[in-house]
Amino acid sequence: IEQLLDSDQFDRLANPEALKRLVDALPAELLSAYPQVSELLAANAELLSDPEQLRAAAKEALQSMRAYTDAILAAMADPRSMEAFLQQLPDEVRTMAGSLMQLLTSAGAGSPGGLDVA
């Protein structure tokens, strides 16, 4: 992704006219069904009109995503940290996490580290 952000291809994609055409092509049903899309676009109009600002924001978001992913992977490596993390989640999210962990560990026996996430 970083290579794309530093490429001429990104410059073509982040061109304000190209972005305007993309936004204009969004179906009206999508915009009415999800008003937050229109709100997000309006709130970021300045950012979307400046390719360099957009590139900087995308790089910052990528760094944040990496840090978040690293934190989750670290928590997954330590069963106590993962269990503490999971206990903070709503019941329905814990249930989904438990189902996902069961799916991921179906080739082995039980949850990683013996966690009970459900």
Side-chain angles (χ1 to χ4, degrees):
I1 293 177
E2 264 184 273
Q3 289 175 339
L4 173 64
L5 294 175
D6 291 327
S7 72
D8 292 338
Q9 184 179 8
F10 179 83
D11 292 338
R12 288 189 300 273
L13 293 170
N15 173 302
E17 292 303 317
L19 289 172
K20 183 176 179 349
R21 284 192 304 273
L22 176 67
V23 170
D24 290 345
L26 292 173
E29 298 83 22
L30 172 73
L31 296 175
S32 63
Y34 300 99
Q36 61 270 35
V37 171
S38 294
E39 293 166 10
L40 181 67
L41 292 170
N44 291 289
E46 184 178 330
L47 177 70
L48 295 173
S49 68
D50 184 343
E52 287 308 311
Q53 273 191 331
L54 183 58
R55 175 177 292 152
K59 284 183 176 184
E60 185 178 324
L62 182 59
Q63 292 302 322
S64 294
M65 187 171 47
R66 281 187 182 142
Y68 180 71
T69 301
D70 290 346
I72 295 239
L73 291 174
M76 290 176 75
D78 178 11
R80 288 176 296 195
S81 293
M82 189 63 177
E83 183 143 359
F85 169 75
L86 291 170
Q87 292 307 316
Q88 297 174 28
L89 300 174
D91 290 340
E92 59 274 7
V93 175
R94 278 203 320 268
T95 300
M96 286 189 304
S99 297
L100 177 61
M101 291 182 88
Q102 282 181 336
L103 178 66
L104 293 173
T105 60
S106 62
S111 298
L115 292 178
D116 180 17
V117 295

